C-alpha cells in the first residue's frame, strides 16, 4: 500500500540506508546550482526517457536531442541518469510497485510478440501518449483505411514525455485533418490561451522534424 511518490522520495533521498541514488549526486548539484528543483526534474527526465525509448534502445539517450527538456545534459551526465533510472526501476521491482510508464516499459519487452488484433483504434487525449506507448498502440492495429484515429491538442500536453509519431511508425502524410473552427471555447478564452502559448514558445518547439506542433492563427 505504499504510495509511489513516497517510494521515489525514499529512493532519491537515500532514506532508510538505501544509497542507490548516490550516483545522481553530481547531476543533483548541477541542477540546484541553476535554481532547478533537481528531484522533480530528474524524475521527469526518467519519464521522458521511458516515453522516448524502449529498454533495448536506451543507449540512444546518450546522443539524441531531448525535445521539450530545457536544461542541457552532456554525455557523462546522461550516463549517470541512465544508471539512476535503472536503479529506480530495480527499486520499484523490489518494493512491488509500478507506475504508468513502468507498465509500458514492461509491455515493450514483449513487443515482438504483439500481433495486430484491432481493425480500428481510437486514441483520445493523444497528447498525453509518449512515443513508446503509441508504438504499442500501432502494433495492436491492423493495416488498413482509417485504422488509427488520434485526437488530441498538443497545446494541452502537461506531461514530460517524448512524442514522435514518426518513431512510433505512425505515418501522417496525407492523413491529417485540422479542426479550423473552435467548438469548445469562447473567442475571448481562445485569445488569452493563444497569447500565453505564443509568449512561451521557444525555437525548439519548431525544430522537431516530426512536425507534431503547428500554431494556427
Amino acid at each position: 500500500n505504499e504510495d509511489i511518490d513516497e517510494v521515489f522520495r525514499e529512493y532519491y533521498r537515500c532514506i532508510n540506508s538505501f544509497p542507490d541514488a548516490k550516483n545522481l549526486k553530481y547531476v543533483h548539484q548541477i541542477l540546484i546550482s541553476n535554481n532547478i528543483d533537481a528531484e522533480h526534474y530528474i524524475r521527469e527526465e526518467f519519464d521522458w526517457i521511458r516515453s522516448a525509448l524502449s529498454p533495448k534502445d536506451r543507449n540512444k539517450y546518450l546522443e539524441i536531442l531531448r525535445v521539450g527538456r530545457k536544461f542541457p545534459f552532456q554525455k557523462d551526465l546522461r550516463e549517470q541518469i541512465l544508471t539512476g533510472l535503472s536503479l529506480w526501476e530495480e527499486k520499484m521491482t523490489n518494493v512491488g510497485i509500478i507506475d504508468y510508464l513502468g507498465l509500458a516499459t514492461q509491455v515493450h519487452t514483449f513487443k515482438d510478440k504483439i500481433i495486430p488484433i484491432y481493425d480500428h483504434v481510437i486514441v483520445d487525449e493523444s497528447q498525453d501518449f509518449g512515443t513508446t506507448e503509441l508504438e504499442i498502440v500501432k502494433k495492436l492495429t491492423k493495416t488498413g483505411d482509417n485504422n488509427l484515429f488520434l485526437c488530441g491538442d498538443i497545446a494541452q500536453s502537461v506531461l514530460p514525455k517524448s512524442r514522435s509519431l514518426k518513431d512510433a511508425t505512425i505515418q501522417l502524410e496525407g492523413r491529417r485533418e485540422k479542426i479550423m473552427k473552435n467548438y469548445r471555447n469562447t473567442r475571448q478564452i481562445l485569445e488569452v490561451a493563444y497569447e500565453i502559448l505564443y509568449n512561451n514558445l521557444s525555437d525548439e518547439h519548431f525544430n522537431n522534424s516530426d512536425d507534431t506542433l503547428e500554431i494556427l492563427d
Side-chain angles (χ1 to χ4, degrees), residues 35-74:
N35 297 315
I36 295 173
D37 182 343
E39 183 173 342
H40 180 72
Y41 195 88
I42 289 175
R43 187 173 183 182
E44 284 193 337
E45 190 75 9
F46 286 172
D47 286 350
W48 189 93
I49 294 169
R50 291 184 295 166
S51 69
L53 301 165
S54 64
K56 67 181 181 62
D57 291 329
R58 281 190 186 165
N59 280 339
K60 294 180 181 179
Y61 171 70
L62 301 177
E63 305 291 343
I64 63 175
L65 180 67
R66 297 160 55 249
V67 176
R69 306 297 289 156
K70 298 291 185 182
F71 191 83
F73 285 141
Q74 301 301 318

Side-chain angles (χ1 to χ4, degrees), residues 80-110:
Q80 294 172 30
I81 290 170
L82 277 183
T83 299
L85 172 56
S86 177
L87 290 170
W88 165 230
E89 290 176 324
E90 183 178 329
K91 172 80 170 181
M92 284 192 285
T93 299
N94 291 337
V95 172
I97 197 169
I98 196 167
D99 61 0
Y100 182 67
L101 277 167
L103 178 61
T105 298
Q106 291 300 314
V107 172
H108 257 276
T109 63
F110 302 97

